[in-house]
Amino acid sequence: MPHVITQSCCNDASCTAVCPVDCIHPTMDEPRYATAESLYIDPDACIDCGACVEHCPVDAIVADDRLSPDQQRFQQINASYFTAYPTVARSTPVSPVPSAENLSGIRIGVVGTGPAGMYTALELLNHRGVDIELYDRSVTPYGLLRTGVAPDHPDTKAMANLFDPALRKRNVSLHLGVAVGSDVSTDELLAHHSAVVFATGAATSRRTNIPGSELAGVHSATRFVGWYNGGVDEASASFDLSGQRVVIIGNGNVAIDVARILLSDPAHLARTDITDHALEALRSSSIREVVLLGRRGPAQASYTTPEFLALLNRSDFNVVIDPDEAAPDDLSRHQIVNDPVAAFKVQLAQEVAGRRPSGAARRLVFRYLTSPVRYSGTGAVAAVHVSRNTLASGHDGVVQAISGPEAEVIDTSLVLEAIGYRGTEVPGLPFDPHRGVIPNRNGRVLSDAEGDPVPGAYVVGWSKRGPLGVIGSNKRCARETVSCLLDDIGAGVVTAAPERAELVALLARRRPDAVGYDGWSRIDSAERSAGDRTGRPRLKLTDVDELRRAAAAL
Ligand SMILES: Cc1cc2nc3c(=O)[nH]c(=O)nc-3n(C[C@H](O)[C@H](O)[C@H](O)COP(=O)(O)OP(=O)(O)OC[C@H]3O[C@@H](n4cnc5c(N)ncnc54)[C@H](O)[C@@H]3O)c2cc1C
Ligand code: SF4
Ligand code: SF4
């Protein structure tokens, strides 16, 4: 009866260290970890001890005799990893866990309280004597864990329980509602800390900028996600849900999240922490079909297998794929021979293409080998003009889509572009506009891509490596950055910080209304109480003034 890793795995690898027979892979130290969709348990090696279960922060590990019908396929997914990579041995750690050190007198600022900032704080807390100041421009902590991760993924949202104890530590101070680069400058922050770790994420969207992008009804998926997920900047946004069809550009996990929210039975969403304004709008939505446009084939689809799999047994909508588009071309057939994940994606797409649809009134249509060429309409979008693509192998061996001429027109009144995220510049800090990241070497900020380290400045998470990887990927990333920071402390490059009183006075002058841990606790309680009254985990406040009032309430 081996155990099995299922859908909500976020790759934080907490389970690998506790497995007595080393049968969970890839570990953080293995090269395949960087691109793994999730971790997997070797069914032939697992001794069923259950030790990993309680260490999983998202309840992703299940004994195989307790798998629900929807989870059965994960047995095959776990096993096929070890069929493809049968002798996976632990290699030398890329970023070994540093031994505990005495960091008395060292004060580290961490800018951003998303997963990367929080993992950084947790790594630092392994050492004695360090003081940590956590800053976020938002009045609520946890970055995309609160405003990105979909409301119907409560297991993943529960990662906040892992981070919350760090905020309560005596040597950790929280400063919410403080924007670094405007409320306090980067130089001021560097002057008042031994070092500052920037964990500012990648908050803006990449856009197609094709003709017609300026039409009403063409939005970034980022804006839509913020709207349903409690982003204060998107609370007043509105989306026209009166048409029958939405077209989403892109087929990554964010595109899938957005499609699922658009098509879900509102009664199901009403048990989540989706915002009230989004729930009301979705209750009166006329949307019957969401079309996802992917530029390559199923073998190269951007979504992860677990997220795709979770769509297949829904009673509120059907997943539809054209059999011709599910069939792999020659290049894909060659690719899947050595790539079990790509092979499984093709297998699943073909299974879906061959299925009879259920009686559900709504449809989620996956299109492959298609790219938008332009949007048309008078004032507002009315159609997406689409090209048919072929695949070719690029110089780097990556399979690329080659756009053909315009081949098809899809009528729609709402387009959501979900083609990726992008970091933004923190004033006063170097920025690589091409990659949308803060230039760095293993987490040490550089003056430019090939330049020298900027004294005292470090970076972690999506602002370090771009918008890649899931929540747990930031743990390894934080370990690498903190390891550089510790080396620099050991080498005397990073030294004790000046008196804290000066920092406190500066912050009090610039943001007297900053929200600390007590304020956040009051917001949290207010949201949970409001949720309790309506049978939901929480009712998110989405207005900054309202949030500040809740933080100040006694
Ligand atoms: C829509 C969406 C859904 C996702 N769903 C999942 C999922 O289900 N499971 C999963 O494992 N992963 C998911 N991810 C990925 C996951 O959210 C990321 O891996 C993770 O959030 C990246 O962490 P980060 O800390 O680098 O960035 P963020 O989470 O973006 O945090 C950055 C923080 O920095 C703050 N900040 C930025 N600039 C400043 C400044 N100048 N001053 C002060 N503060 C600043 C921001 O307010 C924010 O709080 C999802 C991502 C998206 C976009
Ligand atoms: S149940 Fe025990 S042996 Fe199996 S993967 Fe978990 S820790 Fe390892
Ligand atoms: S979420 Fe973490 S602990 Fe849970 S299965 Fe995935 S890697 Fe292991």
Side-chain angles (χ1 to χ4, degrees):
M1 297 289 176
H3 281 57
V4 178
I5 293 181
T6 63
Q7 188 204 341
S8 53
C9 174
C10 73
N11 295 26
D12 80 334
S14 298
C15 50
T16 58
V18 298
C19 178
V21 293
D22 190 21
C23 72
I24 309 177
H25 294 273
T27 66
M28 277 191 184
D29 307 323
E30 292 167 359
R32 283 193 190 89
Y33 174 81
T35 51
E37 289 194 337
S38 80
L39 270 60
Y40 309 98
I41 291 175
D42 183 348
D44 295 330
C46 174
I47 57 168
D48 209 26
C49 69
C52 51
V53 175
E54 66 188 69
H55 282 82
C56 178
V58 294
D59 293 336
I61 306 177
V62 182
D64 75 345
D65 57 347
R66 295 197 177 164
L67 290 167
S68 68
D70 291 356
Q71 292 173 324
Q72 294 293 335
R73 294 298 287 266
F74 285 95
Q75 292 188 78
Q76 183 189 351
I77 293 175
N78 279 248
S80 61
Y81 179 84
F82 296 94
T83 308
Y85 311 116
T87 51
V88 191
R90 265 190 208 278
S91 56
T92 310
V94 177
S95 49
V97 186
S99 53
E101 296 190 19
N102 187 344
L103 301 183
S104 295
I106 298 289
R107 181 184 315 123
I108 307 294
V110 178
V111 183
T113 60
M118 292 311 302
Y119 276 125
T120 301
L122 288 173
E123 283 294 326
L124 288 166
L125 285 168
N126 289 327
H127 306 279
R128 289 190 312 279
V130 66
D131 285 320
I132 302 172
E133 310 280 345
L134 284 170
Y135 302 88
D136 206 297
R137 65 179 170 198
S138 169
V139 184
T140 53
Y142 305 141
L144 287 170
L145 187 54
R146 177 178 165 102
T147 57
V149 172
D152 57 353
H153 279 6
D155 290 345
T156 308
K157 295 249 182 213
M159 292 286 289
N161 298 334
L162 186 79
F163 299 142
D164 196 63
L167 299 184
R168 291 200 299 268
K169 297 274 183 199
R170 268 190 303 122
N171 52 339
V172 175
S173 303
L174 187 62
H175 311 276
L176 298 172
V178 178
V180 173
S182 50
D183 292 328
V184 285
S185 73
T186 300
D187 282 348
E188 284 170 329
L189 218 59
L190 286 168
H192 287 283
H193 297 79
S194 305
V196 179
V197 182
F198 291 86
T200 46
T204 53
S205 348
R206 291 189 185 274
R207 302 300 302 264
T208 63
N209 295 321
I210 58 176
S213 294
E214 72 291 351
L215 288 168
V218 179
H219 304 270
S220 70
T222 310
R223 191 159 171 74
F224 190 76
V225 170
W227 174 72
Y228 68 62
N229 228 347
V232 292
D233 295 335
E234 295 84 13
S236 60
S238 67
F239 299 91
D240 179 4
L241 305 180
S242 63
Q244 298 232 324
R245 180 185 292 131
V246 177
V247 176
I248 299 179
I249 314 300
N251 66 7
N253 283 355
V254 174
I256 285 190
D257 279 353
V258 168
R260 209 179 51 246
I261 296 296
L262 280 164
L263 293 172
S264 287
D265 180 348
H268 170 64
L269 295 176
R271 294 191 293 272
T272 72
D273 68 358
I274 191 170
T275 53
D276 256 359
H277 50 251
L279 184 59
E280 281 317 303
L282 289 163
R283 278 191 169 125
S284 47
S285 159
S286 304
I287 305 298
R288 288 289 169 272
E289 180 175 289
V290 175
V291 179
L292 256 63
L293 296 186
R295 64 201 159 103
R296 298 183 293 171
Q300 303 84 25
S302 302
Y303 53 74
T304 59
T305 311
E307 289 300 317
F308 183 83
L309 210 45
L311 301 170
L312 302 188
N313 293 312
R314 301 279 305 218
S315 56
D316 37 5
F317 57 85
N318 279 304
V319 177
V320 177
I321 295 176
D322 181 326
D324 287 344
E325 292 187 5
D329 69 340
D330 287 346
L331 207 56
S332 302
R333 265 196 290 276
H334 182 69
Q335 180 189 349
I336 62 182
V337 173
N338 297 316
D339 183 341
V341 172
F344 200 54
K345 282 181 176 170
V346 171
Q347 182 189 332
L348 285 175
Q350 291 186 313
E351 269 179 41
V352 171
R355 279 195 334 185
R356 290 169 73 91
S358 74
R362 297 178 173 193
R363 305 174 1 128
L364 170 50
V365 183
F366 279 82
R367 298 291 311 273
Y368 300 98
L369 298 165
T370 49
S371 289
V373 180
R374 65 188 172 100
Y375 305 126
S376 64
T378 311
V381 68
V384 183
H385 299 249
V386 169
S387 72
R388 188 94 198 121
N389 302 339
T390 50
L391 298 177
S393 189
H395 298 305
D396 49 6
V398 175
V399 177
Q400 293 175 344
I402 311 291
S403 253
E406 192 177 309
E408 188 181 346
V409 179
I410 304 175
D411 293 339
T412 185
S413 49
L414 179 60
V415 174
L416 299 171
E417 294 189 343
I419 56 169
Y421 281 68
R422 196 171 187 287
T424 47
E425 191 167 356
V426 178
L429 212 60
F431 185 66
D432 178 344
H434 180 62
R435 293 187 55 219
V437 298
I438 296 169
N440 70 92
R441 191 175 301 122
N442 302 331
R444 286 186 184 94
V445 174
L446 303 178
S447 55
D448 59 53
E450 302 301 324
D452 295 326
V454 175
Y458 299 80
V459 61
V460 69
W462 277 15
S463 50
K464 169 183 171 184
R465 55 181 210 280
L468 298 169
V470 282
I471 288 171
S473 320
N474 299 295
K475 182 175 173 181
R476 182 185 190 276
C477 185
R479 188 165 290 174
E480 181 184 64
T481 294
V482 169
S483 158
C484 288
L485 176 48
L486 292 174
D487 286 350
D488 291 350
I489 292 171
V493 177
V494 169
T495 55
E499 280 299 307
R500 185 166 189 269
E502 291 173 28
L503 172 66
V504 172
L506 173 74
L507 293 171
R509 274 199 311 279
R510 299 289 172 77
R511 281 293 359 174
D513 56 355
V515 172
Y517 181 72
D518 289 346
W520 159 239
S521 296
R522 288 185 205 110
I523 293 173
D524 191 35
S525 300
E527 290 188 339
R528 285 179 193 275
S529 306
D532 274 351
R533 291 194 286 277
T534 48
R536 304 170 61 182
R538 68 170 66 234
L539 204 56
K540 283 179 181 168
L541 299 173
T542 56
D543 176 77
V544 178
D545 292 335
E546 218 180 328
L547 281 159
R548 287 192 192 280
R549 274 198 299 279
L554 288 175

